[in-house]
Structures are given as C-alpha cells and as structure tokens.
Amino acid sequence: MNHAKINKLIDQYKFDTPINVTKTHLPNLESFQDYLKVIWENNWVTNNGQLHLRLEMELAKFFRAQYVNLFCNGTLALMLAMHAARLHGEIITTPFTFPATPNVLHWNEITPVFCDIEPNTYNIDTDKIESLITPKTSAILAVHVYGSPCDVRALECISNRHGVRIIYDAAHAFGVELDGQSIADFGDISAFSFHATKLFHTIEGGALVVRDLNLKKRLDFLKNFGIADEETVVTPGINAKMNELQAAIGLLELKNVATEIHKREKVHYKYMDLLKTTPGIKLPEKLPNVKRNYAYFPILIDRAKAGISRDELCDSLRKFNVFPRKYFYPLCSNFPFFASLPSASKEKLPIANKVAENILCLPMYGDLELDNVEIICHIIKNLMCTHQF
Ligand code: T4K
C-alpha cells in the first residue's frame, strides 16, 4: 500500500460532510405540520387512529392487496406473522440477512435451519432447500435480499410438494414488481420494514400483507394485547401498534416513492457505468422481468483481482468520509447463539460465508448527487491501484 499516494488522494477527494450508506428522506416540514394539526384536533395519537386506517388503505391500494396490517416496526411484524400463522418446529431460512430474520424465529421458539444462498441475487438457493426439509419443517422464511425477488415460482412448487408455508421477509422490497405483479402477491405472508433507512418509511414501522381475512383479524388482536373488545381478550397478544405520527409520515412519504425510486435508478446506473470495467468488482445482476426499487447498491470484491480486500476498501473509504456498510456481515449463522446449530456449519454454507466476507453496500439514496457518485467511484478505482503497489 502506498501511504503517500493515499494521503494525497484524501487531501484531494475527502468529502466535507459524511456520505453514509443511506440518508433518510423526510417529507416537507409544513405538510407534516398540517398532519400534526389534524392529530391535535382529533386528540387521537395511537390505537387504530384515523391516519393509521388511511395508511392501511392506501398501502393496500399500492400493493394491490386485500389486507395490509401495520405495525410499529418490521421486526415485530415478522415475529407476529410467524405466531399468527401458527408456525412451529423448524423453519428453513437464509443466513444472509439482517439479524431480525432469524431472531424472530428464536422468539417464536422455532429452530432456524440455514440454507445456502445462490451467488447472483444472494437469495436463498431453492435447489438446496428440499434436502433440508424434515417432518418438523413448518415453513420457509425467504428474504428478497436488497430488493431482488427470490425464485418465487420454485418456492411455490416446494410449498405445494411438501405442504410447507412460504413467508417472505420483504423488508427491502417495497415497490418491487415481478412480471407486473406486486412482490407482496407471493407466498402466504410478506413482511415489510418501514424503518427510516428504507426507501419508504414511517420512521419506525412495518407491515404484513396477507391474503386471508381470518389471519388479518388474528394479527389485529395480536398487535393489541389480544383485545377483541373492552371485555374480551382472545389471545395473549403483545403491543406492536403503529401510532398516528408514524402513519402521518407514511402518508406523506408514500407520495414520494415513485420519485425516490426514479432518482435511485439514476444513481444505480451511474455506479454501473463507472464501475463496469473495474476488475474484481461484481456489480448487481440484471433482473429480467423485475421492476426494481434500487434499495441498495451491493458490490462483491474479489481480492485477488481487485488488489484490495472488502475490509481494506471499507476502512479506506471511511478516511474519505464515505461510509459504506458490510450488509450482511457477520453472517447470521455465525452468531454465537446460532453457530452450534447443525445447519450453521461453515462447510454447509460456503456461498453465504464467502459473500458475507466480501460484500460492501455503497451509498445509495435518491438525493445522492451523481457528481458525488463519480467521486466515490474515482476514489474506489484509485484505492485499488494504490493498494496493489
Ligand atoms: N428484515 C430485514 C431483511 C431487514 O434488513 C430489516 C431491517 C428487518 C427485517 C427489520 O426491520 P425493522 O424492525 O428495522 O423495521 C438498518 C435499519 O435499522 C434496519 O431497519 C435495516 N433492516 C438494516 C438493513 O439497516 P443499521 O444498524 O445499519 O442502521 P444505522 O442506524 O446504522 O443506519 C444506517 C445509515 O442510515 C446511517 O449511517 C445513516 C442513515 N440514517 C440512519 C438513521 C437511523 C439516517 O440518515 N437517518 C436515520 O435516522 O440498521
């Protein structure tokens, strides 16, 4: 590594303000204040308020779905999805995800069975699922990682063949369509996260899209302590309700989704264009028949060809005030509380382990200026050269 060259580069290209992996989009303050006035006039701030109901309806339209259920965050939404669907025993899932995915299984006293991923989309490898099915398997919990759809047709076939449910963790997939169909149309339940880091958000929040009215009703009880009416508690529920301030942000942010996706698309193709001939960098795959949402921009570094490792690149970029993230490292199957599971051994998950060691998500958000994308790519290419010598 040539320290003098790197220091010179830092002097030239260091950003004055940090460029993070993402930047929360906030609605216009005055329009939020208008909603605050409504909330103040109603004197109703949570528990199935007017804005909450409106957001549920607008999202049902957006997803072209019959039933949408809102929650205070995506993790509790997913946790209650498992509970409401009465899943038990073992669930086959991907290790290459945010900790929330396998953690909700633990909270439902379900054993995660980790399945390796496929090397292009980084989603669960459907060819490797069936050998993991046992009499205890009740479902497959698949994640549309970075918003790339899983092989939903193959998963549907597996579900029909073995009588197991399919639950999608669609935390990253808001607005994605496959063959013209909303991503929420597949599987038994799709769980979305509306965290502030997502392209559509309610500060904290989440939603489940379900197809069955009984399931929707059960979820309504489960997120509200199991209360059916003032004198009836039907199930040992929990408190996972979305409040009116969150719903107000959601109603405003929903209007911005199309613009946000369009702006991200430009950022995506700028990166693609500038990095396409860079050796040792695997860029996001083309996804035929998919309307993408450009939620993340993951690159996979091949140290031998790039001349720099993922960790060296990440550490060096920080010196330029650029903060990419190693989503999803460490791999969930290597967490101390999962590592002793038979399915968690590294030999059984070679691709997931390799991807987790080499992946880096570059800054991606609608307001990221294209000139800054150019500078980031310039820094990356220069770091690769300076590290080689
Ligand atoms: N399933 C999957 C597959 C998920 O990825 C997630 C969450 C879930 C389930 C669970 O959904 P939730 O329960 O969260 O609704 C972030 C998010 O907190 C998390 O929601 C998300 N996935 C995950 C991929 O990313 P961190 O720990 O990386 O966030 P943090 O605080 O380091 O923020 C990242 C960057 O975002 C910051 O560098 C700057 C920017 N940021 C962040 C915040 C909080 C802002 O610009 N403004 C902000 O207010 O987890």
Side-chain angles (χ1 to χ4, degrees):
M1 187 178 15
N2 186 330
H3 288 287
K5 263 193 174 175
I6 290 186
N7 288 336
K8 201 172 154 206
L9 267 179
I10 293 172
D11 286 344
Q12 265 179 301
Y13 294 110
K14 184 175 178 180
F15 289 95
D16 292 336
T17 49
I19 304 229
N20 291 319
V21 67
T22 193
K23 183 177 170 189
T24 299
H25 180 273
L26 286 173
N28 168 282
L29 187 56
E30 284 78 45
S31 34
F32 186 55
Q33 282 162 342
D34 290 343
Y35 272 117
L36 288 181
K37 277 189 209 136
V38 175
I39 295 170
W40 257 243
E41 276 160 24
N42 291 345
N43 207 65
W44 196 271
V45 292
T46 186
N47 289 9
N48 257 333
Q50 202 186 84
L51 302 181
H52 175 285
L53 293 175
R54 237 176 85 190
L55 183 61
E56 249 180 22
M57 265 160 39
E58 291 205 12
L59 284 172
K61 247 191 273 163
F62 180 88
F63 288 124
R64 284 170 260 143
Q66 234 172 329
Y67 306 113
V68 172
N69 218 315
L70 294 175
F71 294 86
C72 57
N73 62 54
T75 305
L76 279 171
L78 193 56
M79 190 176 115
L80 291 179
M82 301 292 146
H83 191 86
R86 296 190 164 89
L87 300 176
H88 52 83
E90 294 174 356
I91 287 190
I92 298 169
T93 192
T94 170
F96 188 69
T97 181
F98 196 62
T101 317
N103 286 1
V104 301
L105 298 180
H106 175 84
W107 280 90
N108 277 289
E109 295 183 12
I110 292 168
T111 306
V113 174
F114 292 110
C115 177
D116 208 2
I117 59 171
E118 60 89 25
N120 293 322
T121 59
Y122 314 129
N123 285 330
I124 196 163
D125 186 340
T126 51
D127 288 340
K128 296 186 180 149
I129 289 177
E130 283 183 287
S131 63
L132 299 172
I133 292 179
T134 73
K136 289 185 189 159
T137 310
S138 59
I140 297 161
L141 172 55
V143 183
H144 302 298
V145 179
Y146 307 134
S148 302
C150 294
D151 188 344
V152 295
R153 314 278 174 219
L155 283 162
E156 200 177 323
C157 289
I158 295 171
S159 163
N160 292 338
R161 260 201 304 275
H162 298 275
V164 294
R165 316 286 284 274
I166 307 288
I167 312 295
Y168 285 111
D169 179 338
H172 305 166
F174 192 86
V176 171
E177 289 182 13
L178 177 61
D179 294 325
Q181 249 178 295
S182 161
I183 197 70
D185 253 7
F186 301 96
D188 295 278
I189 304 178
S190 290
F192 291 85
S193 161
F194 300 156
H195 184 262
T197 52
K198 301 297 186 299
L199 73 92
F200 167 76
H201 75 95
T202 56
I203 300 180
E204 291 272 2
L208 295 178
V209 177
V210 300
R211 259 157 279 291
D212 168 2
L213 180 59
N214 285 331
L215 194 54
K216 153 86 176 146
K217 284 187 183 158
R218 192 163 149 68
L219 286 162
D220 282 335
F221 295 144
L222 280 170
K223 73 178 181 191
N224 188 30
F225 316 99
I227 294 174
D229 63 46
E230 279 179 32
E231 298 187 3
T232 326
V233 180
V234 292
T235 186
I238 199 165
N239 181 358
K241 290 169 273 120
M242 177 181 277
N243 69 47
E244 288 293 90
L245 278 83
Q246 289 172 288
I249 293 283
L251 286 166
L252 291 167
E253 281 297 296
L254 199 51
K255 294 184 192 145
N256 183 56
V257 167
T259 311
E260 178 66 20
I261 292 178
H262 183 63
K263 285 160 88 178
R264 284 171 183 244
E265 183 179 12
K266 289 192 174 160
V267 174
H268 177 98
Y269 284 106
K270 190 79 179 167
Y271 274 130
M272 293 295 278
D273 192 37
L274 293 170
L275 294 176
K276 67 179 178 231
T277 54
T278 315
I281 291 189
K282 183 176 166 352
L283 297 170
E285 291 283 305
K286 284 204 176 95
L287 301 173
N289 311 322
V290 175
K291 181 175 168 276
R292 316 172 78 121
N293 66 359
Y294 307 101
Y296 295 86
F297 195 88
I299 59 172
L300 193 74
I301 313 290
D302 177 344
R303 195 196 186 293
K305 291 187 188 142
I308 189 168
S309 71
R310 183 272 309 271
D311 290 347
E312 286 164 342
L313 181 60
C314 186
D315 291 346
S316 302
L317 281 168
R318 288 180 187 165
K319 295 181 187 147
F320 291 82
N321 236 347
V322 178
F323 296 90
R325 292 294 285 267
K326 302 175 193 175
Y327 295 137
F328 292 100
Y329 173 87
L331 195 66
C332 293
S333 48
N334 295 333
F335 294 165
F337 42 93
F338 289 138
S340 59
L341 289 170
S343 67
S345 78
K346 288 190 177 173
E347 303 76 61
K348 290 181 179 156
L349 305 166
I351 299 175
N353 274 282
K354 189 172 168 220
V355 173
E357 294 290 335
N358 296 293
I359 200 85
L360 193 64
C361 285
L362 297 182
M364 168 52 86
Y365 45 93
D367 285 341
L368 181 56
E369 286 170 31
L370 298 182
D371 287 351
N372 287 344
V373 176
E374 248 176 67
I375 297 171
I376 293 168
C377 293
H378 185 76
I379 296 170
I380 291 173
K381 288 180 198 176
N382 274 280
L383 283 170
M384 287 167 75
C385 295
T386 36
H387 269 261
Q388 273 169 346
F389 303 106

